[in-house]
Amino acid sequence: MNTKEHIIDTFTKLVSKYGYDKVNATMIIREANVGRTTFYRYFKDKEDVLESHYRQMYDESLKNCTNFHDLAQRILQRVKDNPYEASMYSTLTRTPYREFVYGYMYSRGKSIIEKVWKRKLNEIEEFHLSFFCAGGARITEEYALKK
């Protein structure tokens, strides 16, 4: 386990034990046995650790996506299987869940498409991807928060 993963793992254990509101960066640093500089090299604050934790969870459940359709379908399935995540994420962070999903879908989608096409996306293709991901993220959030 690398240092960043160790800090995230420590954070999730502390949150499980004390709750998100009671955990702070100093607690994470002390429990993870890392220096302040090391912590801040990887994260801005505990909210940034939470977002990284979410990215890890999504990476794990969405690994081996080979096309954009599969990625979108799996994100929706994750929301169906874990309806509490959207409201919890939006409650605990400055960033709405929709923005997290948008950023995640865009970066993973771009990576998948460029790998399949064996080239970088041009400006218009990036715009189309961004437009699609924004709508998909909005729909995903609305679906999640209805549950």
Side-chain angles (χ1 to χ4, degrees):
M1 178 182 308
N2 68 34
T3 303
K4 185 175 183 176
E5 291 170 347
H6 174 64
I7 293 169
I8 294 168
D9 186 55
T10 301
F11 165 79
T12 59
K13 288 176 182 171
L14 287 169
V15 168
S16 293
K17 187 173 182 178
Y18 299 107
Y20 181 81
D21 290 338
K22 298 226 188 313
V23 173
N24 59 43
T26 302
M27 289 173 72
I28 300 166
I29 291 164
R30 185 177 54 244
E31 191 69 26
N33 198 26
V34 297
R36 291 187 83 68
T37 304
T38 300
F39 176 85
Y40 289 109
R41 181 180 309 131
Y42 294 104
F43 305 103
K44 292 179 274 185
D45 52 24
K46 75 174 184 178
E47 187 174 313
D48 198 26
V49 182
L50 178 66
E51 186 169 318
S52 292
H53 172 62
Y54 265 80
R55 268 191 251 110
Q56 272 187 345
M57 290 188 315
Y58 272 65
D59 284 346
E60 182 60 31
S61 65
L62 302 171
K63 63 183 171 190
N64 303 322
C65 285
T66 57
N67 60 61
F68 194 80
H69 179 268
D70 187 33
L71 176 66
Q73 187 175 14
R74 286 193 187 181
I75 287 174
L76 184 57
Q77 188 62 51
R78 178 158 184 93
V79 170
K80 285 180 180 179
D81 294 345
N82 304 283
Y84 61 90
E85 286 181 356
S87 57
M88 186 174 87
Y89 187 87
S90 291
T91 301
L92 300 178
T93 67
R94 301 179 285 271
T95 308
Y97 181 70
R98 173 180 59 242
E99 287 183 34
F100 168 78
V101 172
Y102 166 78
Y104 189 87
M105 186 182 289
Y106 180 84
S107 64
R108 281 294 297 270
K110 183 177 178 187
S111 175
I112 289 168
I113 292 168
E114 289 179 343
K115 184 177 180 180
V116 170
W117 290 359
K118 296 180 174 116
R119 67 172 177 81
K120 299 281 185 195
L121 297 180
N122 65 38
E123 187 176 7
I124 297 298
E125 292 164 340
E126 283 194 32
F127 174 77
H128 287 154
L129 177 62
S130 179
F131 190 81
F132 181 83
C133 291
R138 175 73 184 244
I139 291 165
T140 300
E141 181 184 53
E142 287 175 4
Y143 177 86
L145 296 177
K146 279 190 222 174
K147 295 286 176 185

